[in-house]
Amino acid sequence: MLYTIIKALHIIFMVSYFAGIFYLVRIFVYYKDTDEFTEEKKKILREQYTFMARRLWNIITVPAGVIMAVCGLVMIFLNTGLMKMPWFHLKLTFLIGLAIYHYWCWKKVLHLKELHGDTLPIANIKLRQANEIATFILFLVVFTVILKSMVIEYWWQLIAGFFVLVFLIMMTVKLVNKNKKNK
């Protein structure tokens, strides 16, 4: 019973963590979108976006990520057999990717604070594409956890499907960004 409760908490805080990460990078996009605004409007919005990013990071994203990780570690402790499963090693590999993305987000939050309202030196399209990285990681982790050993058995179909998904999402981002520029 304890394992199931910890698993439920792990999933709840995973959802909270990803909600924070998804919205955080969207705030970076909104900040960048202010580049073409008047100076007064730009200053007000950039201050607000910086404030929002820091609050989101400190109050939702990091605490949810810590609780998610602690619950994950407790589940490993309660079920050490997980460490013998190939699919679980794959999940841990994807989580390393998530940790790298988390670090990138943290550096951007700090960078926004240091900018004091100046322009964020990254292309808008790059931020919009970076916004999808968490989506890809979420797909990889969820499919791995749900399919378990089938991920290993049907790896090439899953990789092909994943690359199609990545391609479609990136093309959609480019198309939306292109249509935005034309307006």
Side-chain angles (χ1 to χ4, degrees):
M1 173 92 161
L2 176 63
Y3 184 84
T4 306
I5 291 169
I6 299 298
K7 187 177 187 179
L9 290 171
H10 180 68
I11 292 168
I12 290 165
F13 285 101
M14 183 266 310
V15 170
S16 300
Y17 174 78
F18 272 94
I21 285 288
F22 288 146
Y23 190 52
L24 182 68
V25 181
R26 179 56 45 198
I27 290 172
F28 300 156
V29 170
Y30 293 156
Y31 186 101
K32 185 65 179 172
D33 283 345
T34 64
D35 283 355
E36 298 177 19
F37 292 179
T38 64
E39 286 304 314
E40 182 181 349
K41 188 175 181 181
K42 188 187 305 185
K43 182 182 182 308
I44 292 167
L45 287 173
R46 286 181 176 177
E47 269 182 31
Q48 185 63 32
Y49 291 142
T50 301
F51 174 78
M52 289 168 63
R54 291 181 63 219
R55 294 286 298 251
L56 177 63
W57 183 256
N58 292 323
I59 295 173
I60 296 172
T61 309
V62 170
V66 168
I67 295 170
M68 173 186 70
V70 167
C71 288
L73 291 171
V74 169
M75 287 190 316
I76 292 170
F77 178 76
L78 293 174
N79 182 6
T80 56
L82 287 171
M83 293 305 291
K84 297 175 185 162
M85 305 289 185
W87 68 266
F88 193 73
H89 294 171
L90 188 59
K91 176 190 175 183
L92 293 176
T93 301
F94 297 144
L95 293 181
I96 291 169
L98 181 61
I100 293 166
Y101 185 71
H102 179 94
Y103 178 78
W104 178 84
C105 289
W106 174 59
K107 295 305 276 184
K108 285 287 176 243
V109 169
L110 294 176
H111 192 194
L112 280 187
K113 182 182 175 188
E114 294 167 2
L115 285 174
H116 301 289
D118 288 341
T119 300
L120 188 59
I122 186 170
N124 192 296
I125 187 73
K126 296 293 182 201
L127 284 171
R128 290 176 186 276
Q129 289 171 333
N131 196 35
E132 303 307 326
I133 292 171
T135 304
F136 302 143
I137 294 170
L138 181 61
F139 267 84
L140 291 167
V141 170
V142 169
F143 270 86
T144 300
V145 170
I146 298 297
L147 297 175
K148 294 184 175 28
S149 61
M150 287 189 295
V151 168
I152 307 302
E153 187 177 342
Y154 298 104
W155 65 270
W156 69 269
Q157 293 98 324
L158 291 167
I159 289 174
F162 178 73
F163 280 115
V164 168
L165 175 72
V166 168
F167 176 78
L168 290 173
I169 289 175
M170 287 303 172
M171 289 301 106
T172 302
V173 168
K174 282 190 173 203
L175 182 65
V176 167
N177 206 45
K178 183 179 178 183
N179 288 338
K180 185 178 174 245
K181 284 182 181 179
N182 291 336
K183 287 184 179 181

